[in-house]
Amino acid sequence: MNIDEQKDEVIFFRIKSEKKKDWKKICSNKQISLTSLIINSVENRMMDDERRKVLAFIEKQDNIFGKIENNINQVAKIANGQKFISESQLSNFSDKLSEIVILKKEQNEIFTKIYAKLSR
């Protein structure tokens, strides 16, 4: 079933032309359709542009953790190459890893909430 087959109702309503221009300007700025603006506003759903921003944020966060993982691997290579790592360096490294685990857990909880909101 394509998208046109799902839409079987039309609603007409009157608004002032200035108001329509304002709405169209909002849509243009957000790069969304007027239909999307109206439906998402009435149904109290997240706008398509906000959804795109959230997904971009999630991707950026994922890239940040990817860089951190690369840095961890570099430290491990250095430690393996030298066959030695000082007690203070190891302690500092372990503290940072623990911090990353906590941050990753918090991030995953936030992402779960975001995905739940996006699915509405």
Side-chain angles (χ1 to χ4, degrees):
M1 184 183 308
N2 71 30
I3 199 158
D4 291 327
E5 292 173 333
Q6 295 173 355
K7 298 176 183 180
D8 60 358
E9 295 291 328
V10 176
I11 298 175
F12 295 99
F13 61 96
R14 297 176 195 260
I15 62 171
K16 294 188 180 217
S17 68
E18 274 303 309
K19 181 60 71 176
K20 183 177 178 182
K21 285 179 188 175
D22 291 344
W23 288 4
K24 288 255 189 194
K25 186 176 180 182
I26 290 169
C27 291
S28 176
N29 290 341
K30 292 179 174 270
Q31 297 179 331
I32 60 174
S33 69
L34 185 55
T35 300
S36 175
L37 175 72
I38 294 168
I39 291 172
N40 290 336
S41 296
V42 169
E43 294 181 355
N44 197 24
R45 291 172 45 188
M46 185 178 282
M47 297 287 171
D48 292 340
D49 69 312
E50 293 169 332
R51 196 174 268 115
R52 286 190 299 266
K53 287 178 187 175
V54 168
L55 291 173
F57 168 77
I58 290 170
E59 186 175 324
K60 182 179 177 184
Q61 288 299 107
D62 193 42
N63 290 338
I64 289 170
F65 274 98
K67 288 179 182 178
I68 291 170
E69 290 167 0
N70 284 339
N71 288 343
I72 290 169
N73 287 336
Q74 288 173 353
V75 169
K77 284 181 183 177
I78 290 169
N80 285 334
Q82 293 177 353
K83 303 290 182 206
F84 173 79
I85 187 166
S86 72
E87 191 66 38
S88 64
Q89 288 174 321
L90 184 59
S91 176
N92 186 31
F93 186 70
S94 294
D95 291 343
K96 297 297 182 195
L97 284 178
S98 298
E99 198 174 319
I100 289 170
V101 168
I102 292 167
L103 291 173
K104 189 71 170 179
K105 183 179 178 190
E106 289 176 9
Q107 174 189 276
N108 289 341
E109 289 171 3
I110 291 169
F111 286 173
T112 301
K113 291 176 185 174
I114 289 171
Y115 285 128
K117 188 165 183 134
L118 286 174
S119 67
R120 284 198 262 152

